[in-house]
Amino acid sequence: MEKVRTLFCKYDGRPHRQMDVFVLGHDTHGLWVGSVPGDKARRGDGKWVAVDHTRVRLFPRDQWWSALFNDHPHETEIYCDIATPATFADNTVTSVDLDLDIRRMRDGSVRVMDEHEFEAHQVKYNYPSHIVDTARQACAWVTTNITSAEPFTTAYKPYLAKARALTAALAT
């Protein structure tokens, strides 16, 4: 199965998160990739951490967010990063993380995270006003739609099923 590298950077270009993931498919929502327990992800501090559950990520085209769909029993069902639209080149998907995150918990509650980090990084990285405005608009859109609209309701489920099957196949 084909793999691609996903790379989230901070606004100054420093790596924030990096991972090699399996390509699960493309559809009208974008590129779907998956990771399985035991896969490794590199954090911005250079440390590698192991993934402990099956999950899929959507990189939508021309959108200012990316969504991670976690399998049970992870307490966060969907985790959205507000980020610049992904670029696709040389088997790498790259996006700039803009700090704001939205979590849909298993109980259906929605939480906006890291607003303080977004405020601090506006100063630290000198975010242009159009970046700030677009990030806020994307955050508002995701927050409004994460419980009721695609791709957050059913579109991810076939890809999560593919990732589960991959997890089972790799375990044998």
Side-chain angles (χ1 to χ4, degrees), residues 1 5-6 29-30 32 38 63 79 89 97 103 116 121 128 145 154 162 167 171:
M1 182 170 268
R5 173 161 291 160
T6 60
H29 298 291
W32 295 87
Q63 297 297 317
Y79 190 101
D97 180 87
R103 294 171 71 182
H116 63 283
H121 285 177
N145 289 281
T154 62
K162 276 186 174 182
T167 298

PDB file of all heavy atoms in Angstrom, residues 1 5-6 29-30 32 38 63 79 89 97 103 116 121 128 145 154 162 167 171:
ATOM      1  N   MET A   1       0.856  -1.183   0.000  1.00  0.00           N
ATOM      2  CA  MET A   1       0.000   0.000   0.000  1.00  0.00           C
ATOM      3  C   MET A   1       0.896   1.238   0.000  1.00  0.00           C
ATOM      4  O   MET A   1       1.888   1.287   0.708  1.00  0.00           O
ATOM      5  CB  MET A   1      -0.907  -0.029   1.229  1.00  0.00           C
ATOM      6  CG  MET A   1      -1.861   1.129   1.297  1.00  0.00           C
ATOM      7  SD  MET A   1      -3.117   0.970   2.586  1.00  0.00           S
ATOM      8  CE  MET A   1      -4.406   0.183   1.650  1.00  0.00           C
ATOM      9  N   ARG A   5       4.249  11.048   3.297  1.00  0.00           N
ATOM     10  CA  ARG A   5       4.681  11.734   4.517  1.00  0.00           C
ATOM     11  C   ARG A   5       3.759  12.927   4.742  1.00  0.00           C
ATOM     12  O   ARG A   5       3.495  13.700   3.820  1.00  0.00           O
ATOM     13  CB  ARG A   5       6.111  12.212   4.382  1.00  0.00           C
ATOM     14  CG  ARG A   5       6.560  13.092   5.564  1.00  0.00           C
ATOM     15  CD  ARG A   5       8.037  13.171   5.661  1.00  0.00           C
ATOM     16  NE  ARG A   5       8.486  11.847   6.078  1.00  0.00           N
ATOM     17  CZ  ARG A   5       9.725  11.390   5.917  1.00  0.00           C
ATOM     18  NH1 ARG A   5      10.638  12.141   5.383  1.00  0.00           N
ATOM     19  NH2 ARG A   5      10.042  10.175   6.308  1.00  0.00           N
ATOM     20  N   THR A   6       3.266  13.058   5.955  1.00  0.00           N
ATOM     21  CA  THR A   6       2.495  14.244   6.317  1.00  0.00           C
ATOM     22  C   THR A   6       3.374  15.106   7.207  1.00  0.00           C
ATOM     23  O   THR A   6       4.039  14.600   8.113  1.00  0.00           O
ATOM     24  CB  THR A   6       1.185  13.881   7.038  1.00  0.00           C
ATOM     25  OG1 THR A   6       1.468  13.168   8.235  1.00  0.00           O
ATOM     26  CG2 THR A   6       0.290  13.042   6.135  1.00  0.00           C
ATOM     27  N   HIS A  29     -14.107  14.908  -0.870  1.00  0.00           N
ATOM     28  CA  HIS A  29     -13.676  15.645   0.319  1.00  0.00           C
ATOM     29  C   HIS A  29     -12.169  15.896   0.327  1.00  0.00           C
ATOM     30  O   HIS A  29     -11.717  16.829   0.982  1.00  0.00           O
ATOM     31  CB  HIS A  29     -14.089  14.908   1.588  1.00  0.00           C
ATOM     32  CG  HIS A  29     -15.555  14.762   1.712  1.00  0.00           C
ATOM     33  ND1 HIS A  29     -16.402  15.829   1.940  1.00  0.00           N
ATOM     34  CD2 HIS A  29     -16.344  13.673   1.604  1.00  0.00           C
ATOM     35  CE1 HIS A  29     -17.646  15.395   1.979  1.00  0.00           C
ATOM     36  NE2 HIS A  29     -17.642  14.097   1.775  1.00  0.00           N
ATOM     37  N   GLY A  30     -11.387  15.054  -0.362  1.00  0.00           N
ATOM     38  CA  GLY A  30      -9.945  15.238  -0.391  1.00  0.00           C
ATOM     39  C   GLY A  30      -9.188  13.932  -0.287  1.00  0.00           C
ATOM     40  O   GLY A  30      -9.683  12.867  -0.677  1.00  0.00           O
ATOM     41  N   TRP A  32      -7.524  10.965   1.881  1.00  0.00           N
ATOM     42  CA  TRP A  32      -7.691  10.244   3.137  1.00  0.00           C
ATOM     43  C   TRP A  32      -6.465   9.378   3.366  1.00  0.00           C
ATOM     44  O   TRP A  32      -6.067   8.604   2.489  1.00  0.00           O
ATOM     45  CB  TRP A  32      -8.935   9.364   3.089  1.00  0.00           C
ATOM     46  CG  TRP A  32     -10.207  10.131   2.985  1.00  0.00           C
ATOM     47  CD1 TRP A  32     -10.815  10.561   1.827  1.00  0.00           C
ATOM     48  CD2 TRP A  32     -11.039  10.556   4.062  1.00  0.00           C
ATOM     49  NE1 TRP A  32     -11.973  11.241   2.140  1.00  0.00           N
ATOM     50  CE2 TRP A  32     -12.144  11.240   3.499  1.00  0.00           C
ATOM     51  CE3 TRP A  32     -10.966  10.419   5.447  1.00  0.00           C
ATOM     52  CZ2 TRP A  32     -13.158  11.792   4.274  1.00  0.00           C
ATOM     53  CZ3 TRP A  32     -11.979  10.964   6.214  1.00  0.00           C
ATOM     54  CH2 TRP A  32     -13.056  11.640   5.630  1.00  0.00           C
ATOM     55  N   GLY A  38       1.245   1.433  16.606  1.00  0.00           N
ATOM     56  CA  GLY A  38       2.665   1.138  16.422  1.00  0.00           C
ATOM     57  C   GLY A  38       3.355   2.061  15.446  1.00  0.00           C
ATOM     58  O   GLY A  38       4.579   2.182  15.457  1.00  0.00           O
ATOM     59  N   GLN A  63      -9.003  23.901   1.745  1.00  0.00           N
ATOM     60  CA  GLN A  63      -9.670  24.246   2.997  1.00  0.00           C
ATOM     61  C   GLN A  63      -8.626  24.573   4.054  1.00  0.00           C
ATOM     62  O   GLN A  63      -7.517  24.045   4.015  1.00  0.00           O
ATOM     63  CB  GLN A  63     -10.553  23.093   3.485  1.00  0.00           C
ATOM     64  CG  GLN A  63     -11.685  22.752   2.539  1.00  0.00           C
ATOM     65  CD  GLN A  63     -12.659  23.900   2.374  1.00  0.00           C
ATOM     66  OE1 GLN A  63     -13.036  24.557   3.347  1.00  0.00           O
ATOM     67  NE2 GLN A  63     -13.079  24.153   1.140  1.00  0.00           N
ATOM     68  N   TYR A  79     -10.710  15.271  15.678  1.00  0.00           N
ATOM     69  CA  TYR A  79      -9.808  16.345  16.082  1.00  0.00           C
ATOM     70  C   TYR A  79      -9.455  17.121  14.818  1.00  0.00           C
ATOM     71  O   TYR A  79      -8.858  16.566  13.893  1.00  0.00           O
ATOM     72  CB  TYR A  79      -8.544  15.759  16.708  1.00  0.00           C
ATOM     73  CG  TYR A  79      -7.650  16.765  17.373  1.00  0.00           C
ATOM     74  CD1 TYR A  79      -7.663  16.915  18.754  1.00  0.00           C
ATOM     75  CD2 TYR A  79      -6.776  17.566  16.635  1.00  0.00           C
ATOM     76  CE1 TYR A  79      -6.833  17.834  19.386  1.00  0.00           C
ATOM     77  CE2 TYR A  79      -5.955  18.487  17.253  1.00  0.00           C
ATOM     78  CZ  TYR A  79      -5.986  18.608  18.633  1.00  0.00           C
ATOM     79  OH  TYR A  79      -5.167  19.522  19.262  1.00  0.00           O
ATOM     80  N   ALA A  89       3.083  17.341  -2.884  1.00  0.00           N
ATOM     81  CA  ALA A  89       4.236  17.262  -3.785  1.00  0.00           C
ATOM     82  C   ALA A  89       5.199  16.182  -3.301  1.00  0.00           C
ATOM     83  O   ALA A  89       5.413  16.028  -2.096  1.00  0.00           O
ATOM     84  CB  ALA A  89       4.963  18.606  -3.848  1.00  0.00           C
ATOM     85  N   ASP A  97       0.347  24.561  10.582  1.00  0.00           N
ATOM     86  CA  ASP A  97      -0.558  24.503  11.725  1.00  0.00           C
ATOM     87  C   ASP A  97      -0.739  25.911  12.284  1.00  0.00           C
ATOM     88  O   ASP A  97       0.240  26.600  12.576  1.00  0.00           O
ATOM     89  CB  ASP A  97       0.031  23.581  12.793  1.00  0.00           C
ATOM     90  CG  ASP A  97      -0.853  23.485  13.999  1.00  0.00           C
ATOM     91  OD1 ASP A  97      -1.745  22.628  13.997  1.00  0.00           O
ATOM     92  OD2 ASP A  97      -0.659  24.271  14.954  1.00  0.00           O
ATOM     93  N   ARG A 103     -12.230  19.864  18.889  1.00  0.00           N
ATOM     94  CA  ARG A 103     -12.403  18.452  19.238  1.00  0.00           C
ATOM     95  C   ARG A 103     -13.887  18.138  19.378  1.00  0.00           C
ATOM     96  O   ARG A 103     -14.602  18.865  20.051  1.00  0.00           O
ATOM     97  CB  ARG A 103     -11.728  18.135  20.572  1.00  0.00           C
ATOM     98  CG  ARG A 103     -10.229  18.268  20.533  1.00  0.00           C
ATOM     99  CD  ARG A 103      -9.623  18.165  21.908  1.00  0.00           C
ATOM    100  NE  ARG A 103      -9.716  16.799  22.426  1.00  0.00           N
ATOM    101  CZ  ARG A 103      -9.297  16.442  23.634  1.00  0.00           C
ATOM    102  NH1 ARG A 103      -8.776  17.332  24.454  1.00  0.00           N
ATOM    103  NH2 ARG A 103      -9.405  15.196  24.034  1.00  0.00           N
ATOM    104  N   HIS A 116      -5.447  30.512  23.299  1.00  0.00           N
ATOM    105  CA  HIS A 116      -4.344  31.291  23.883  1.00  0.00           C
ATOM    106  C   HIS A 116      -3.069  31.160  23.046  1.00  0.00           C
ATOM    107  O   HIS A 116      -2.343  32.130  22.858  1.00  0.00           O
ATOM    108  CB  HIS A 116      -4.091  30.841  25.330  1.00  0.00           C
ATOM    109  CG  HIS A 116      -3.660  29.416  25.430  1.00  0.00           C
ATOM    110  ND1 HIS A 116      -4.547  28.360  25.314  1.00  0.00           N
ATOM    111  CD2 HIS A 116      -2.430  28.872  25.599  1.00  0.00           C
ATOM    112  CE1 HIS A 116      -3.875  27.219  25.410  1.00  0.00           C
ATOM    113  NE2 HIS A 116      -2.599  27.501  25.580  1.00  0.00           N
ATOM    114  N   HIS A 121       0.840  33.289  19.203  1.00  0.00           N
ATOM    115  CA  HIS A 121       1.592  33.098  17.957  1.00  0.00           C
ATOM    116  C   HIS A 121       1.315  34.185  16.932  1.00  0.00           C
ATOM    117  O   HIS A 121       2.135  34.408  16.034  1.00  0.00           O
ATOM    118  CB  HIS A 121       1.327  31.708  17.390  1.00  0.00           C
ATOM    119  CG  HIS A 121       2.045  30.645  18.148  1.00  0.00           C
ATOM    120  ND1 HIS A 121       1.919  29.315  17.855  1.00  0.00           N
ATOM    121  CD2 HIS A 121       2.915  30.713  19.186  1.00  0.00           C
ATOM    122  CE1 HIS A 121       2.666  28.613  18.686  1.00  0.00           C
ATOM    123  NE2 HIS A 121       3.277  29.438  19.505  1.00  0.00           N
ATOM    124  N   PRO A 128      -0.047  37.599   9.352  1.00  0.00           N
ATOM    125  CA  PRO A 128      -0.755  38.671   8.639  1.00  0.00           C
ATOM    126  C   PRO A 128      -2.247  38.635   8.977  1.00  0.00           C
ATOM    127  O   PRO A 128      -2.801  37.586   9.323  1.00  0.00           O
ATOM    128  CB  PRO A 128      -0.527  38.330   7.161  1.00  0.00           C
ATOM    129  CG  PRO A 128       0.635  37.398   7.144  1.00  0.00           C
ATOM    130  CD  PRO A 128       0.600  36.662   8.446  1.00  0.00           C
ATOM    131  N   ASN A 145     -20.116  22.958  12.060  1.00  0.00           N
ATOM    132  CA  ASN A 145     -20.460  21.812  11.212  1.00  0.00           C
ATOM    133  C   ASN A 145     -19.978  20.448  11.705  1.00  0.00           C
ATOM    134  O   ASN A 145     -20.415  19.429  11.167  1.00  0.00           O
ATOM    135  CB  ASN A 145     -19.936  22.062   9.799  1.00  0.00           C
ATOM    136  CG  ASN A 145     -20.734  23.135   9.111  1.00  0.00           C
ATOM    137  OD1 ASN A 145     -21.834  22.876   8.630  1.00  0.00           O
ATOM    138  ND2 ASN A 145     -20.213  24.350   9.086  1.00  0.00           N
ATOM    139  N   THR A 154     -20.596  10.882   8.215  1.00  0.00           N
ATOM    140  CA  THR A 154     -20.458   9.496   7.740  1.00  0.00           C
ATOM    141  C   THR A 154     -19.331   9.286   6.734  1.00  0.00           C
ATOM    142  O   THR A 154     -18.882   8.150   6.556  1.00  0.00           O
ATOM    143  CB  THR A 154     -21.770   9.005   7.091  1.00  0.00           C
ATOM    144  OG1 THR A 154     -22.059   9.818   5.940  1.00  0.00           O
ATOM    145  CG2 THR A 154     -22.931   9.047   8.074  1.00  0.00           C
ATOM    146  N   LYS A 162     -11.355   0.818   6.430  1.00  0.00           N
ATOM    147  CA  LYS A 162     -10.149   0.400   5.696  1.00  0.00           C
ATOM    148  C   LYS A 162      -8.936   0.379   6.617  1.00  0.00           C
ATOM    149  O   LYS A 162      -8.107  -0.534   6.567  1.00  0.00           O
ATOM    150  CB  LYS A 162      -9.850   1.362   4.538  1.00  0.00           C
ATOM    151  CG  LYS A 162     -10.575   1.108   3.274  1.00  0.00           C
ATOM    152  CD  LYS A 162     -10.053   2.067   2.202  1.00  0.00           C
ATOM    153  CE  LYS A 162     -10.622   1.776   0.868  1.00  0.00           C
ATOM    154  NZ  LYS A 162     -10.082   2.662  -0.180  1.00  0.00           N
ATOM    155  N   THR A 167      -5.014  -2.507  10.006  1.00  0.00           N
ATOM    156  CA  THR A 167      -4.499  -2.817  11.338  1.00  0.00           C
ATOM    157  C   THR A 167      -4.536  -4.321  11.589  1.00  0.00           C
ATOM    158  O   THR A 167      -3.559  -4.924  12.039  1.00  0.00           O
ATOM    159  CB  THR A 167      -5.318  -2.077  12.435  1.00  0.00           C
ATOM    160  OG1 THR A 167      -5.171  -0.679  12.227  1.00  0.00           O
ATOM    161  CG2 THR A 167      -4.852  -2.435  13.835  1.00  0.00           C
ATOM    162  N   ALA A 171      -1.328  -7.039  11.824  1.00  0.00           N
ATOM    163  CA  ALA A 171      -1.146  -7.737  13.104  1.00  0.00           C
ATOM    164  C   ALA A 171      -0.941  -9.238  12.905  1.00  0.00           C
ATOM    165  O   ALA A 171      -0.479  -9.907  13.824  1.00  0.00           O
ATOM    166  CB  ALA A 171      -2.353  -7.494  13.994  1.00  0.00           C
TER     167      ALA A 171
END
